[in-house]
Amino acid sequence: MLFYAETLKTVRESRSLTQKELAVRAGLSQQQGLISKIESGKMVPSSEQLDAIAFALGYPSLFFTEVSVPASGLAFHRKKTALSAKLRTQLEAEAKLKKAILSKVLQYDCQPNLLSSDEIKEKSPQEIAIMLRRKWKLNPGRIDNLVKVVESQGILVLKYDFGTPLLDGFFMPGAPCCLFLNSKVPNDRLRFSIAHELGHLILQHTIPGKGAETEANSFAAEFLLPQADIAEDLKNRLSMERLAELKKKWYASMASLLYRAQTLELIVPSYARRLWTELSSLGFKLQEPALDIPEEHPTVIRKILQLAYGNAPKIEEIASKYHLNEGDLRNCFNSI
């Protein structure tokens, strides 16, 4: 019997269950280490064991014999250090499951319009950001709707509540290439996170670390706030009031604008430190004033679904056809 062990592991982790907890739910706890052996590929479950495990997880047994979830996890995501390993594992698993479900339902295999390895060879992150803006035919200045731009280049976007403010978003490469965004993150911060994660993707980072994060930040700053367009705005003496004005103009956080002024050496270090202190004392390092920065919402997945299943997709019928969990399928639809 064909069986995808990684699919089982992903569904279990998306439920935040340990192997032991799943065994108990499935009534298989008397067989010590059974779930571990199955997930590691050391054994294939019998039909009876698979039925019990699938029932405990709320999935038809056929799902684990038809849907293959890649084993790779996420090397890069813009997060805060307080994010626990357990919660990160659950969020990654939920995203992998959403991607697998959408891949099954949409039959979407469009490749994103990115830069090749040869094109980015020996180029700085700033140069690559300029090249990508040119390749994507973006006008100078502010990008009005970054989510729309990313979707137009073959990347699927899902936006939903991660259940924590500690993770902004992340890319999941491989067909289809997906970007997952936390709907509870302010849009000015989320836009930089999108550009930051896009940087990891475009720069083809494979090893996480401080160097990769610095390069992704440099890419994001140039992609969102091009030096040729923003330098004049940042030359005048900055203040909280001026940063707020520029935030409304560029749809960028006050912190990212101050950071950009520093990296372009348009502000003396001592004055920059003073502004950072003021940002902190006002509480803006935790939550900046919104200033009516427009929300950005994905639309492409919904359009594909409507083309395939009509304006009011019948969740029950689709779940039954592809042997999916109805609740998880509904969550996918609610993420778009």
Side-chain angles (χ1 to χ4, degrees), residues 21-285:
E21 288 169 340
L22 175 56
V24 170
R25 284 196 181 191
L28 300 170
S29 57
Q30 71 279 9
Q31 302 178 51
Q32 190 172 4
L34 177 68
I35 304 298
S36 175
K37 292 174 184 176
I38 294 174
E39 289 185 354
S40 64
K42 292 179 180 178
M43 69 171 287
V44 175
S46 67
S47 296
E48 293 77 13
Q49 290 168 337
L50 178 56
D51 287 345
I53 292 169
F55 182 78
L57 292 171
Y59 267 86
S61 299
L62 286 173
F63 180 76
F64 300 98
T65 65
E66 294 180 350
V67 177
S68 174
V69 176
S72 59
L74 305 175
F76 304 99
H77 28 33
R78 194 161 186 243
K79 64 180 181 66
K80 298 179 181 178
T81 54
L83 182 70
S84 69
K86 181 180 180 180
L87 182 54
R88 169 184 162 173
T89 296
Q90 181 182 353
L91 290 170
E92 289 181 4
E94 289 175 353
K96 289 167 69 175
L97 188 56
K98 287 178 187 291
K99 178 176 176 176
I101 290 172
L102 285 174
S103 181
K104 185 80 172 175
V105 171
L106 298 181
Q107 303 293 311
Y108 181 86
D109 59 359
C110 179
Q111 294 299 313
N113 181 28
L114 307 178
L115 296 167
S116 69
S117 299
D118 288 340
E119 287 177 299
I120 68 171
K121 188 177 182 181
E122 298 181 357
K123 298 289 194 305
S124 70
Q126 294 89 341
E127 290 172 322
I128 294 170
I130 293 170
M131 291 168 60
L132 188 66
R133 285 185 66 113
R134 189 179 303 125
K135 183 181 182 72
W136 286 1
K137 296 180 172 58
L138 300 180
N139 294 325
R142 182 185 72 204
I143 299 173
D144 288 341
N145 190 324
L146 186 55
V147 168
K148 183 177 180 180
V149 167
V150 168
E151 286 188 312
S152 73
Q153 301 303 320
I155 297 171
L156 298 181
V157 180
L158 296 90
K159 187 177 182 182
Y160 56 97
D161 184 359
F162 286 7
T164 174
L166 300 178
L167 180 64
D168 291 2
F170 51 87
F171 268 104
M172 192 168 283
C177 182
C178 294
L179 170 62
F180 298 86
L181 301 176
N182 190 344
S183 61
K184 295 302 182 181
V185 175
N187 200 49
D188 53 355
R189 177 178 171 87
L190 200 58
R191 281 168 59 89
F192 192 88
S193 294
I194 295 170
H196 177 94
E197 295 305 319
L198 181 61
H200 285 309
L201 186 67
I202 297 293
L203 298 170
Q204 301 177 10
H205 287 149
T206 56
I207 301 175
K210 186 175 180 180
E213 294 303 311
T214 299
E215 288 187 350
N217 280 336
S218 297
F219 171 92
E222 180 60 39
F223 189 75
L224 284 180
L225 308 169
Q227 179 177 357
D229 303 322
I230 201 170
E232 197 64 36
D233 284 343
L234 298 175
K235 281 180 180 178
N236 297 323
R237 186 172 177 84
L238 294 178
S239 63
M240 289 299 107
E241 292 76 13
R242 178 60 176 162
L243 287 172
E245 291 174 3
L246 292 177
K247 175 173 181 169
K248 289 191 287 186
K249 176 178 179 179
W250 286 93
Y251 295 174
S253 69
M254 296 163 71
S256 66
L257 289 161
L258 179 53
Y259 171 81
R260 188 63 168 145
Q262 281 185 282
T263 57
L264 294 178
E265 299 182 349
L266 296 174
I267 184 172
V268 296
S270 59
Y271 189 61
R273 287 194 296 270
R274 175 180 162 185
L275 288 177
W276 282 118
T277 300
E278 191 173 353
L279 274 172
S280 182
S281 66
L282 291 169
F284 291 173
K285 292 187 76 172

